[in-house]
Amino acid sequence: MHLRIEGHTLPGRHCGPGPGFHGVSGIEVAVQRKDRPTELLDPQPGDAPTVTWILPCTFTADGELRGPYVQNRLGGRFVYLSWLGRQPQEAASRMFRRAKLMLADVPPEVLTEARRRGALAGRLALTDAKGHPLCGRVVPPAVVWSAGEPSET
């Protein structure tokens, strides 16, 4: 079984300051490993046309997804997309925000079909309404879940 995350409409490599946002350069996005905030899978540039990660996972006997990139905290299972970048005075990149793709909000019929087909796919825009990197809880309709690969649906 695998979970495919496909992002589009990225914010760019630089986002200027705005209300509640300090501005960041050298923007990249990656998937965070479970319980290891500094261990990131395949960082992608913030100006890429699309980004894709394929995450190994399994279903538990009770039908929940588990895997090395599936977090499990209060509020349910999710995958973290971590944004990296630096402010003008910083020499090195660091995580400055995260988006939580909430797996509990995958429609049950999609999850059942994904289990049958061996693949679950989530597709989402990675820029928020202010033009900044997407952050916070991400649920439908901001993420579209499907069974199998996006090209199959």
Side-chain angles (χ1 to χ4, degrees):
M1 172 73 192
H2 71 266
L3 171 60
R4 179 182 171 99
I5 305 297
E6 185 177 312
H8 61 87
T9 317
L10 280 82
R13 296 282 285 169
H14 172 79
C15 285
F21 189 75
H22 294 94
V24 179
S25 295
I27 295 173
E28 296 180 308
V29 61
V31 175
Q32 178 188 310
R33 188 170 180 91
K34 180 182 179 184
D35 298 327
R36 298 181 188 167
T38 60
E39 194 171 320
L40 302 173
L41 175 67
D42 198 17
Q44 297 291 310
D47 61 353
T50 62
V51 293
T52 301
W53 299 274
I54 298 176
L55 313 176
C57 58
T58 59
F59 277 99
T60 64
D62 57 355
E64 291 187 331
L65 277 174
R66 292 196 186 205
Y69 298 94
V70 177
Q71 310 284 331
N72 185 20
R73 301 269 189 281
L74 294 175
R77 296 185 187 280
F78 59 91
V79 172
Y80 266 136
L81 296 182
S82 294
W83 292 97
L84 308 167
R86 62 187 175 281
Q87 293 181 353
Q89 71 278 12
E90 297 174 325
S93 288
R94 63 177 174 84
M95 183 182 61
F96 65 92
R97 66 178 17 175
R98 294 189 289 196
K100 289 171 84 170
L101 303 182
M102 302 305 297
L103 298 172
D105 293 308
V106 175
E109 64 278 5
V110 171
L111 204 54
T112 298
E113 183 64 11
R115 188 173 191 171
R116 188 184 72 73
R117 294 176 70 178
L120 175 65
R123 182 169 165 74
L124 69 157
L126 293 176
T127 301
D128 69 14
K130 296 177 184 176
H132 298 145
L134 182 69
C135 67
R137 289 175 57 97
V138 182
V139 299
V143 59
V144 177
W145 294 105
S146 60
E149 302 301 328
S151 60
E152 296 176 0
T153 57

